[in-house]
């Protein structure tokens, strides 16, 4: 499978954030997706039940641990929590071992 951000079908995840799921679901088990944040978009605080890997493809995003630009790999351990925002907008590859739980 090959996916280019400008040609994949995006679906609204929440205000200002779109998702293109590559595999899995938001209900159980491992999954991966492209997430596209509009400038100024954010995702509220959530807890990771399993490992999360985020690779920032374009733009940048921020969380409580810092500002992450394109080319950055962010890893969040099970039990960790954070909120995410993107002042300029971004596209990230997200890989989840288990679905996240929003607080």
């Amino acid at each position: 499978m090959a996916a280019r951000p400008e040609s994949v079908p995006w679906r609204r995840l929440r205000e200002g954030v779109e998702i293109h799921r590559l595999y899995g679901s938001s209900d159980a088990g491992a999954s991966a997706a492209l997430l596209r944040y509009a400038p100024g978009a954010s995702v509220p605080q959530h807890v990771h039940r399993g490992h999360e890997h985020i690779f920032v493809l374009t733009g940048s995003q921020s969380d409580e641990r810092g500002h992450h630009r394109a080319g950055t790999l962010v890893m969040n351990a099970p039990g960790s929590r954070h909120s995410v925002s993107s002042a300029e907008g971004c596209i990230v590859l997200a890989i989840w071992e288990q679905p996240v739980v929003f607080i």
Side-chain angles (χ1 to χ4, degrees):
M1 173 184 171
R4 296 186 56 80
E6 65 274 5
S7 64
V8 300
W10 295 98
R11 177 177 73 73
R12 183 182 186 273
L13 180 64
R14 54 184 56 251
E15 184 67 33
V17 182
E18 297 174 303
I19 187 169
H20 172 69
R21 196 162 297 278
L22 299 170
Y23 65 84
S25 75
S26 61
D27 298 328
S31 65
L34 295 173
L35 298 175
R36 180 166 64 179
Y37 289 69
S42 63
V43 172
Q45 186 151 102
H46 53 278
V47 176
H48 297 281
R49 296 185 334 188
H51 287 94
E52 175 190 61
H53 299 87
I54 299 290
F55 188 70
V56 182
L57 299 169
T58 66
S60 65
Q61 66 174 215
S62 299
D63 65 10
E64 291 80 354
R65 294 187 338 197
H67 186 71
H68 315 292
R69 298 196 168 281
T72 302
L73 175 64
V74 179
M75 295 182 287
N76 294 298
S80 64
R81 61 180 62 205
H82 66 150
S83 55
V84 180
S85 64
S86 181
E88 67 179 296
C90 65
I91 297 175
V92 302
L93 169 64
I95 302 170
W96 301 282
E97 187 175 42
Q98 292 291 326
V100 301
V101 177
F102 288 95
I103 300 172

